[in-house]
Amino acid sequence: MSVASVPQTVSPDLTSRTIAYFSMEIALAPALPTYSGGLGMLAGDTLRSAADTGAPMVAVSLVHRHGYFKQALSPSGQQSETDVIWNPSTLPPAGKSVTITMQGRAIKVSAWRFDVVGVTGHVIPVFLLDSDIEGNDPYDRTLTDHLYGGDTYYRLCQETVLGMAGVELLHELGCLPSVYHMNEGHAALLALGLLEDQIEGKPLSTATEADRLAVAKQCVFTTHTPVPAGHDQFGRDQMYAVLGQERAEALERFGCMHNNLLNMTYIALRFSRWVNGVAMQHGKVSQEMFPEYHVESVTNGVHAATWIAPPLQRLFDDEIPRWRHDNQYFRSVYGIKPSRIANAHRVGKRKLIEAIAERTGEALNESVLTLGFARRVATYKRASLLLQDPKRLARIAKKIGGLQIVFAGKAHPADTAGKGLIQEVFEIAGKISRGSLRILYLENYDWELGATLTQGVDVWVNTPRRPYEASGTSGMKAALNGVPSLSILDGWWIEGCAEDVTGWAIDDGDNDDAEAASLYDKLENRIAPLFAKPNAWARMQQHCIAMNGSFFNTDRMLGQYFANAYFPLAPTIDESPSAEKLGEESAAKSVTASV
Ligand SMILES: *Cc1c(COP(=O)(O)O)cnc(C)c1O
């Protein structure tokens, strides 16, 4: 796969970069398989906004030579996976390499530089770490190959490379950031790298509480999921085997273990001065998960110029050209005639219908209400909720003059339950997709398909089980394209839903049946009647962009990180308890419990 089309620039001055952004995955270009889903998209969109707004940032990730995976689906919906191998050698090399010790041996790590170029030409350099170097142990050469592949041992090795080699490489390149942003716990071992710097070559056993605080003063942590399985943890044996005794003991001493496991989230919590969730509700849920720490919220966004369909971009260039420099101008979309927005959206819908015809041979109808549901297939996202009552759905489709539903999504190769869900959707669709109801499942949900779908459907559907959707960002992409959402009130939608204005809430129920019934009610009684009135529908499209597009973007999000987390006017005082105090507190709790 070639990256030759990506413009590369001369190496930017790294000494002036004050913020280092670390992420296990970053979606850098549609052709590069260096991401799996929402987390990597967010990282990429964050850096694209950083480039647009001239932020003094630099980023670190792994090169992932074999990518995540390409999905194929059999006629019964059985998923199979293939590697997506790419060759980074068309990118400029970082020019330096570092050697760290892990698994009791030396491993050399180099990097490739990918430049994210902003609207004014400002560059955010991204260093993609690479351990495939001659002289390294054969196993170690594979460590930067597979995103979320391998076993837990492989994963801990990868996270050690990301955190520890990442920090060293930046220093080697003359880059000495004052803020390190851990995008998810995967990157938390950067704290160990900083701690080793802090004690200047002395044994880690001499590191004090003051040293921990000195590291924490430099670190900012964003947690991304309230699903416990989403927080990486590793056995004590693996920790000792990969990191070695000295580092393992330091992590134990500084309170990074949880339930006797090394927990990446706890490393990040212990070594950060600022912690946030990715939507207001998610911050609160995370606060309950980690009561000893103070957890704030910064609601996610998406990079507008990456996700808005070309015809709409042209309309905005015409009417509010400053939107490319400042997304707050989207509020002024209220000054644009709704019919012009509707016309631009229709072009996106046609493009979607063409893409579907090309991929599947199916011909969808441009004038029929079309719903989109595309996301990582995890059980809590309930892909099949929309099909909970197939008979009712078919009845509604007939009554409202037709309904088209487009699904897409990958299940993690090891997620058997998720793979089962895809087959369930196929099975139900096979039974009821005929006449006025058309249901399709598209293969290999990725950046391009995500864009085509969010730019082309009429309504974006999201059905997570509360409160597991930390934020969700695909609905934001839809909103920027004038597409309302029909969603469970979870994640970002709690903040984005103005009923009958920007979309619709699926009412909370005690069970799947009740929530599906609410979904069908809204579809039949609110959405379809409005869709039948083009002027009213166009007005709704305008609300989506003016109200939600102007807020749920990464320009606004990054501004909030700057003002609250990176360089707050009133610095956050570190109130996280020391390891000793944590010990006392849990002792006190167990006393209370036994009373
Ligand atoms: C935006 C995006 C996601 C994240 O969307 P969610 O709403 O969080 O599920 C995942 N995958 C791709 C390809 C995307 O473009």
Side-chain angles (χ1 to χ4, degrees):
M1 201 165 284
S2 161
V3 288
S5 57
V6 179
Q8 297 299 318
T9 57
V10 292
S11 181
D13 175 22
L14 291 171
T15 57
S16 63
R17 300 298 163 126
T18 50
I19 303 152
Y21 185 86
F22 278 62
S23 183
M24 182 55 87
E25 51 169 311
I26 307 180
L28 292 166
L32 298 190
T34 55
Y35 70 96
S36 85
L39 183 70
M41 276 303 174
L42 178 80
D45 280 0
T46 301
L47 299 180
R48 285 182 276 280
S49 273
D52 285 346
T53 55
M57 258 179 151
V58 57
V60 178
S61 189
L62 305 188
V63 70
H64 302 303
R65 283 170 176 274
H66 293 228
Y68 185 50
F69 70 88
K70 183 166 189 259
Q71 176 199 53
L73 294 168
S74 78
S76 64
Q78 211 158 37
Q79 172 177 300
S80 56
E81 303 103 19
T82 46
D83 283 357
V84 187
I85 297 173
W86 74 289
N87 181 359
S89 68
T90 55
L91 294 175
K96 302 265 187 197
S97 59
V98 296
T99 301
I100 62 166
T101 305
M102 54 185 264
Q103 309 170 85
R105 59 178 177 254
I107 170 175
K108 192 172 167 185
V109 179
S110 63
W112 305 94
R113 200 186 84 231
F114 183 98
D115 291 337
V116 177
V117 184
V119 65
T120 61
H122 181 73
V123 168
I124 306 296
V126 183
F127 293 101
L128 301 172
L129 303 173
D130 190 352
S131 69
D132 186 12
I133 297 176
E134 228 180 279
N136 276 344
D137 179 275
Y139 175 76
D140 295 354
R141 292 184 69 162
T142 71
L143 287 177
T144 53
D145 280 350
H146 291 278
L147 174 58
Y148 306 138
D151 52 14
T152 56
Y153 183 91
Y154 181 85
R155 185 78 69 90
L156 180 55
C157 288
Q158 284 191 321
E159 294 182 2
T160 305
V161 170
L162 175 65
M164 302 201 70
V167 165
E168 269 215 40
L169 183 84
L170 288 183
H171 293 175
E172 196 60 35
L173 291 166
C175 180
L176 295 166
S178 53
V179 179
Y180 289 80
H181 188 164
M182 307 169 189
N183 187 42
E184 182 56 52
H186 307 139
L189 285 170
L190 72 83
L192 201 48
L194 293 177
L195 188 64
E196 290 186 355
D197 278 359
Q198 171 67 22
I199 56 170
E200 296 174 327
K202 287 184 298 214
L204 273 171
S205 58
T206 66
T208 63
E209 183 58 15
D211 293 321
R212 178 185 73 87
L213 287 173
V215 172
K217 277 211 170 77
Q218 304 167 65
C219 295
V220 162
F221 170 47
T222 302
T223 179
H224 284 267
T225 176
V227 181
H231 297 255
D232 275 349
Q233 37 192 20
F234 303 99
R236 195 176 232 107
D237 291 354
Q238 278 182 354
M239 169 174 72
Y240 273 82
V242 174
L243 294 170
Q245 183 174 350
E246 192 183 337
R247 293 178 185 137
E249 282 175 0
L251 291 172
E252 289 187 317
R253 191 156 59 85
F254 282 117
C256 302
M257 308 295 285
H258 188 67
N259 297 330
N260 209 29
L261 296 167
L262 174 66
N263 188 301
M264 297 304 283
T265 301
Y266 278 82
I267 304 177
L269 290 168
R270 296 290 292 145
F271 285 95
S272 296
R273 64 171 161 79
W274 161 277
V275 179
N276 72 279
V278 290
M280 293 312 287
Q281 157 90 358
H282 176 237
K284 288 182 196 151
V285 171
S286 302
Q287 181 64 83
E288 281 166 28
M289 288 172 79
F290 311 114
E292 300 96 338
Y293 299 88
H294 183 72
V295 184
E296 293 277 356
S297 299
V298 176
T299 301
N300 280 344
V302 297
H303 183 249
T306 298
W307 296 107
I308 296 174
L312 267 176
Q313 294 205 15
R314 284 192 291 273
L315 176 59
F316 299 152
D317 284 343
D318 196 24
E319 299 260 5
I320 44 165
R322 280 301 292 177
W323 75 272
R324 289 190 184 272
H325 299 261
D326 177 356
N327 287 177
Q328 296 207 56
Y329 282 91
F330 285 127
R331 184 68 190 202
S332 307
V333 161
Y334 278 130
I336 302 178
K337 267 209 194 107
S339 60
R340 295 188 71 191
I341 296 167
N343 288 342
H345 181 265
R346 195 163 303 119
V347 181
K349 188 169 183 181
R350 259 178 228 142
K351 200 182 148 217
L352 169 67
I353 288 171
E354 277 164 26
I356 288 172
E358 220 166 88
R359 284 164 165 260
T360 67
E362 301 273 343
L364 294 192
N365 183 336
E366 191 189 312
S367 53
V368 167
L369 179 63
T370 303
L371 313 182
F373 181 101
R375 47 195 32 91
R376 190 162 57 83
V377 186
T379 41
Y380 80 86
K381 298 210 183 210
R382 294 190 295 189
S384 55
L385 194 78
L386 196 47
L387 309 178
Q388 184 83 3
D389 184 348
K391 283 194 188 123
R392 177 155 185 208
L393 190 62
R395 261 201 322 274
I396 294 172
K398 197 161 181 193
K399 175 181 158 191
I400 67 176
L403 184 64
Q404 302 172 148
I405 307 175
V406 188
F407 285 95
K410 295 173 177 176
H412 185 279
D415 182 5
T416 326
K419 288 181 172 181
L421 264 180
I422 300 178
Q423 287 177 285
E424 192 185 325
V425 172
F426 266 68
E427 195 186 319
I428 302 171
K431 286 186 191 139
I432 61 172
S433 180
R434 63 177 59 84
S436 51
L437 179 60
R438 307 284 299 280
I439 304 171
L440 297 172
Y441 201 113
L442 303 180
E443 273 179 340
N444 201 39
Y445 178 47
D446 64 0
W447 181 329
E448 271 161 1
L449 183 55
T452 308
L453 284 166
T454 51
Q455 294 167 5
V457 299
D458 297 305
V459 178
W460 195 248
V461 179
N462 195 14
T463 54
R465 187 168 280 129
R466 286 186 78 176
Y468 295 117
E469 183 85 320
S471 166
T473 53
S474 54
M476 302 175 183
K477 300 167 192 167
L480 272 162
N481 282 288
V483 173
S485 281
L486 166 62
S487 171
I488 297 283
L489 280 175
D490 199 10
W492 82 282
W493 193 233
I494 297 172
E495 298 160 56
C497 178
E499 186 80 6
D500 289 320
V501 178
T502 58
W504 304 268
I506 299 167
D507 294 329
D508 270 2
D510 291 338
N511 52 60
D512 288 359
D513 285 337
E515 294 188 346
S518 167
L519 186 162
Y520 295 135
D521 286 343
K522 296 269 164 109
L523 187 59
E524 181 173 1
N525 303 320
R526 324 265 341 176
I527 299 173
L530 194 76
F531 186 72
K533 297 184 203 126
N535 290 341
W537 191 264
R539 183 87 183 140
M540 182 158 209
Q541 294 177 313
Q542 184 186 44
H543 287 310
C544 289
I545 302 165
M547 291 181 69
N548 283 348
S550 61
F551 185 81
F552 296 101
N553 58 71
T554 34
D555 278 15
R556 183 272 313 157
M557 181 199 80
L558 196 61
Q560 287 198 300
Y561 275 106
F562 268 87
N564 298 283
Y566 299 159
F567 304 117
L569 288 175
T572 32
I573 299 155
D574 190 298
E575 286 170 6
S576 72
S578 65
E580 299 82 66
K581 189 152 158 267
L582 271 183
E584 281 164 26
E585 275 174 9
S586 44
K589 265 185 210 151
S590 55
V591 170
T592 324
S594 63
V595 165

